[in-house]
Amino acid sequence: FHNLNMFQNTFQSGFLSILYSIGSKPLQIWKNKVRNGHIKRITDADIQSSVLEIMGTNVSTTFIECPSEKKKTLGIKLPFLVMIIKNLKKYFTFEVQ
C-alpha cells in the first residue's frame, strides 16, 4: 500500500517547499515533459541566483507537474501558495487541482 497523499504525514507549518531551484535535485518529485524546448538550471542576472528555466514552443508540450504519479496528490493543508515567477513577457500557464 502506497500513500497517495505525498505530504499527508509531513508536519506542515510555515512553508513547505515543493520546488527549490537551488537544491541539489530541484525536480526530484516532479514529472517533466519537453518537446521543442528545454528545462535547465541557469543563473538569473537580476537576482544573481540559480533558477529553473522552462521554455518551449507551446505550453502544452514543455512543462513540469507534481506529483509525478497521476494517482497521487500532494496532500498540502497549508492555506497559501507562494510562487516567484519572472515576467519574461511570454505565455505562461499554471494549474492547481
Side-chain angles (χ1 to χ4, degrees), residues 5-46:
N5 295 312
M6 292 181 63
F7 296 104
Q8 177 179 343
N9 297 322
T10 301
F11 178 70
Q12 296 181 25
S13 176
F15 293 102
L16 175 65
S17 179
I18 61 170
L19 177 64
Y20 184 57
S21 62
I22 298 174
S24 61
K25 295 181 181 177
L27 295 174
Q28 184 172 8
I29 64 171
W30 292 78
K31 174 183 172 187
N32 62 65
K33 179 178 178 184
V34 179
R35 189 168 70 216
N36 299 322
H38 65 262
I39 299 173
K40 61 184 175 182
R41 189 174 357 202
I42 63 168
T43 299
D44 182 83
D46 293 329

Side-chain angles (χ1 to χ4, degrees), residues 3 13 19 21 23 28 30 33 35 39 42 45-46 51 57 62-64 67 71-73 76 79-80 84 86 96:
N3 189 352
S13 176
L19 177 64
S21 62
Q28 184 172 8
W30 292 78
K33 179 178 178 184
R35 189 168 70 216
I39 299 173
I42 63 168
D46 293 329
V51 298
T57 56
T62 301
F63 59 86
I64 61 175
K71 292 181 180 178
K72 287 191 173 186
T73 66
I76 296 173
F80 297 100
I84 301 173
K86 184 173 181 177
V96 176

